[in-house]
Amino acid sequence: FELKVLVHEGRHFPSDTSFEVNGVFDDEQHGTGFTRLSTTPVWSGPPLTWQRSAGEIKRLQAQGAKLKLTVSDDHRRLGWAVVDIRAMKQNALEYAPGGEHAGSWLKLSSATFSADKGASSPEVRVFATLKEVMPSARKHSASDDNRSAHEKGRAPDAESDAPETGYSYDASAKAVERDASVDASRASAPPPATTSADASNVFEPKVGKSEPQIKETTHLFTLTADVRSFKSTRRLPFPTASVVVKLSLPPELLDAVSLGGKPRAAAATPVRTNPPAAVARASEVILQNGLGHVDFGAGVMALATALAAGPRVAAEVWHKDAYAADVLLGTATVSLAPLLREPTLDGYAPVMSDADPETPGAPRSALLLDSEAVKVGEIRVVLSLAEKGPL
């Protein structure tokens, strides 16, 4: 995996000195260098880059590791900001393959520096990604030389007399020859035997390809849905309706996860409110028994890819009548993509009476001139996604 951080610019900075940004991830530090004196400094250097194996990323994510960016000058620390691993993976999925994006503004936290009264706190605009790269595409860097030399028990400068600011032809040629010999020895050596204990972490090459494919570890996740209330509008077709809500998970999500033998039909509809709640026009009612959850297994990156596609849960609002057929009042949908950034979603979703028969549960807007959709109300839905550990 390769972590890249582009520090674009800052704003609301003091103008009495110049600043640099230092990033620390897994106790490894890289810096941008100092910029010119300005209240809006710009860092135009190369991205800060870290490279870690899949096993190391899994360990760091389990430990809750984050990227810490610290802004400082020669004698003081202006502040710091942190970036979560989940947010960096989401950026890599949304803006692949180039990864170039404007980024987002991060407010600097500080226990010692405070802005002038009425002034805004310093901020930096940062774009960070964490994505998987093939071993053959991994770039040769000075940090790789230092780590390799440290593992072999010799000083990092033992093979080259070149200064730290540049590269020598001899050192580069030796590195290339060394890598080629290692690749040749790996190709001729028989594959190591594996046991059932480490079978989930082995490389499984695809047929016809020489590059290995990492088998992702399956984790246990719990998706919780809580349908709490229904708020009607004056366009409700009944003066008083007996409301129940049926919430269904999107097929795209169910296809991407393992239900562990649980019937798909039961997992697809985790919430059915009961008993019916009486609601008049332009009023709100609390729904009973609207809490449900689904446990499933999936790889972290596989689930992130499925959520990034924007699957939507669909909530059907029905009017129950003891002496007539039930009437579908409307449908509301909520996207699951924000769960990549936030562990919990809490808000109201509009209930539209005009559902598209070709795409059930598709969001419709009452503002479209060519649509007969009518907003009959809103439902309050709380969604959360929790990771319970590897299986």
Side-chain angles (χ1 to χ4, degrees):
F1 281 80
E2 186 174 68
L3 189 157
K4 279 191 175 182
V5 180
L6 283 170
V7 183
H8 293 289
E9 59 180 332
R11 62 186 179 187
H12 314 312
F13 273 53
S15 59
D16 57 346
T17 184
S18 58
F19 293 91
E20 69 172 343
V21 180
N22 287 297
V24 177
F25 181 72
D26 191 24
D27 296 330
E28 181 180 344
Q29 176 174 316
H30 295 288
T32 61
F34 287 92
T35 184
R36 59 181 177 82
L37 293 174
S38 175
T39 58
T40 57
V42 176
W43 292 273
S44 56
L48 310 182
T49 304
W50 291 260
Q51 290 183 337
R52 293 292 185 272
S53 66
E56 291 172 322
I57 290 296
K58 182 170 63 175
R59 172 182 60 82
L60 293 171
Q61 188 167 5
Q63 295 174 353
K66 299 179 185 294
L67 167 69
K68 184 176 182 180
L69 300 173
T70 303
V71 182
S72 59
D73 59 7
D74 291 331
H75 59 280
R76 63 175 172 175
R77 184 172 65 173
L78 186 63
W80 71 89
V82 295
V83 185
D84 186 66
I85 290 181
R86 179 182 294 186
M88 292 186 286
K89 287 183 177 179
Q90 171 68 7
N91 288 337
L93 289 172
E94 289 185 353
Y95 307 111
E100 301 296 336
H101 190 256
S104 57
W105 288 100
L106 303 179
K107 184 178 179 180
L108 298 182
S109 303
S110 177
T112 57
F113 176 82
S114 59
D116 297 334
K117 186 176 181 179
S120 300
S121 300
E123 297 178 337
V124 290
R125 185 163 63 88
V126 176
F127 180 62
T129 60
L130 177 63
K131 61 181 179 180
E132 186 176 1
V133 294
M134 300 305 298
S136 59
R138 179 169 176 170
K139 295 182 179 179
H140 189 75
S141 63
S143 61
D144 295 335
D145 291 339
N146 293 342
R147 184 182 303 173
S148 174
H150 178 72
E151 293 174 355
K152 294 180 180 179
R154 59 176 183 269
D157 300 330
E159 290 192 3
S160 174
D161 297 331
E164 295 181 358
T165 56
Y167 296 92
S168 68
Y169 174 80
D170 294 338
S172 301
K174 290 180 179 180
V176 172
E177 293 175 359
R178 183 171 62 254
D179 293 343
S181 62
V182 171
D183 292 340
S185 61
R186 287 178 178 175
S188 59
T194 59
T195 62
S196 58
D198 58 357
S200 60
N201 297 322
V202 298
F203 289 103
E204 293 186 355
K206 294 182 178 180
V207 177
K209 293 187 177 181
S210 59
E211 295 178 344
Q213 180 71 24
I214 298 176
K215 183 179 180 180
E216 194 173 11
T217 302
T218 301
H219 287 241
L220 177 64
F221 292 88
T222 299
L223 177 63
T224 304
D226 188 2
V227 181
R228 296 189 175 181
S229 64
F230 173 73
K231 183 192 299 183
S232 64
T233 67
R234 297 187 182 277
R235 306 295 296 274
L236 190 70
F238 299 95
T240 301
S242 297
V243 173
V244 295
V245 176
K246 182 180 73 172
L247 186 139
S248 302
L249 299 182
E252 299 86 352
L253 176 64
L254 297 176
D255 293 339
V257 302
S258 173
L259 299 176
K262 185 176 183 179
R264 183 185 176 100
T269 309
V271 174
R272 294 176 185 265
T273 64
N274 193 56
V279 58
R281 291 188 177 119
S283 63
E284 186 172 6
V285 64
I286 302 298
L287 300 174
Q288 302 296 324
N289 301 314
L291 178 64
H293 70 275
V294 175
D295 295 328
F296 57 84
V300 174
M301 293 302 297
L303 180 60
T305 303
L307 294 179
R312 306 178 73 90
V313 298
E316 297 178 350
V317 181
W318 290 82
H319 166 63
K320 302 285 288 187
D321 193 326
Y323 304 101
D326 297 342
V327 178
L328 177 62
L329 298 177
T331 304
T333 63
V334 180
S335 175
L336 295 177
L339 288 176
L340 287 167
R341 300 181 180 274
E342 301 292 337
T344 303
L345 305 178
D346 186 353
Y348 285 86
V351 179
M352 312 304 296
S353 65
D354 180 25
D356 189 348
E358 296 184 357
T359 55
R364 300 295 297 270
S365 174
L367 301 178
L368 296 178
L369 297 179
D370 59 348
S371 174
E372 298 179 358
V374 174
K375 180 180 176 181
V376 298
E378 296 177 335
I379 59 170
R380 184 185 175 190
V381 181
V382 180
L383 298 172
S384 63
L385 180 64
E387 192 266 336
K388 301 298 183 65
L391 292 175

